[in-house]
Amino acid sequence: MSLLEGTFGLTEDQLAFQQVALNFAKSEMQPHAQKWDKEEIFPKDVIKKAGELGFGGIYTSEDYGGSGLGKLEACLILEALSTGCMSTASYISIHNMCAGLLDAFGSQDQKQNWLEGVNSFDLFTSYCLTEPNSGSDAAAMQTHAKLNAEDYVLNGSKMFISGGEESDLYIVMAKTGSKEISTFLVEKGSPGLSFGKKEEKLAWRTQPTQLMVFDNVRVPKSNMLGNPGDGMKIALKGLEGGRLTIGSVAIGGAWYSLDKAKHYMKDRKQFGKPLHEFQHLQFKMADALAKLTTCRMSVRNIAQLIDQKVDSRHIFASIAKMIATDECFQIADDCMQMFGGYGMICEYGMERIIREIRILKVIEGTNEIMKHTIAKNLFKE
């Protein structure tokens, strides 16, 4: 058994899902990840191939072409995909979050209209909560929707939208009252919907990130997801799964880093012997492997708790995201140190992994917000 490969404790089916995703990552993602990152290519053709494997609707019901798996299987798949390209795997994670919301809260008509296309990646999705002036304080959003005859009219803007204008369907949270937030399904090409420039980013360069502007965008009443006032419930439900799987993306990146460091240390010689024969460096990598294993065990156990629908699932998801992204960033940094000066060279791929994991400490809620959520549980009466 290899701790690095993370096959421990898995069923035959789970091992099969993991292996399919790992094979896909090695053949379809790893060879191109550097080019995608450098040239800011959104590999929609490869993502659609992932859809053919069932990775567009990992935990949506099979009625509309979903895979019908649990959060644990989603974690295994996204962890494996992230060994190929963390940025692209992160978009797949976000898309699955959107698919899960449509499956959980959508009407029959909504599911018939969109869910099969979403599950297959014929339709790309975006999650639209953050605004220019409301990031962590999501309830302070200013985007609003007013009922006008049979339509809601949306005005406002959303920020840092993954997928941007490349997506086909947007899950948008907007105020429908002074203290009421609702969720809408907004289609690409809706009159009054526009986008800002594609942001130049530290990482996540294989997916566009853009400002989204609503100027009197008319959305049919039938496009409301769930009921009026369900917006924050739906938003938090999405983040419950999204934070968990982003933790798995970080684990996949750390796995890839440790594997690259292992091979480099066997080949690289200093002072007449390979790096891996120096006990100090062995201990550094042992610490890294122990941290990786601990992160895996935490995230996978929390995934099972979420599948079991235990109380306070959002707190467990916050713990998974915080621990995995913090620890895996340190793992990747320690692994890059093994490369010395070569770790700074882009063609070795280590600096890209550092950038990709660093961004995970911010998205889906900053790690400080994760701590805030956890602390509220500790100090509540």
Side-chain angles (χ1 to χ4, degrees), residues 233-247:
K233 179 178 76 172
I234 292 173
L236 293 174
K237 174 70 174 177
L239 292 173
E240 175 187 291
R243 287 169 176 168
L244 178 73
T245 52
I246 284 298

Side-chain angles (χ1 to χ4, degrees), residues 22-69:
L22 196 57
N23 291 342
F24 184 85
K26 287 181 177 179
S27 63
E28 300 289 343
M29 299 171 79
Q30 267 184 29
H32 313 293
Q34 288 291 102
K35 177 181 174 68
W36 293 344
D37 175 72
K38 182 178 181 180
E39 300 179 14
E40 299 188 359
I41 295 170
F42 187 34
K44 296 182 79 171
D45 54 339
V46 173
I47 294 172
K48 287 183 177 181
K49 288 182 181 179
E52 294 172 6
L53 297 175
F55 297 161
I58 299 172
Y59 44 83
T60 57
S61 62
E62 296 175 277
D63 295 342
Y64 296 94
S67 297
L69 301 175

Side-chain angles (χ1 to χ4, degrees), residues 44-45 47-52 55-57 64-65 91 95 113-125 166-169 188:
K44 296 182 79 171
D45 54 339
I47 294 172
K48 287 183 177 181
K49 288 182 181 179
E52 294 172 6
F55 297 161
Y64 296 94
Y91 175 77
H95 176 88
N113 286 340
W114 295 299
L115 190 52
E116 188 171 338
V118 168
N119 285 333
S120 64
F121 269 122
D122 287 333
L123 298 175
F124 284 62
T125 60
E166 295 287 343
S167 288
D168 303 288
L169 186 66
K188 182 177 186 175

Side-chain angles (χ1 to χ4, degrees), residues 268-283:
R268 175 72 167 170
K269 291 184 178 180
Q270 292 289 278
F271 304 102
K273 61 181 180 179
L275 294 185
H276 80 280
E277 292 184 7
F278 289 88
Q279 188 180 61
H280 173 67
L281 301 184
Q282 288 178 4
F283 285 3

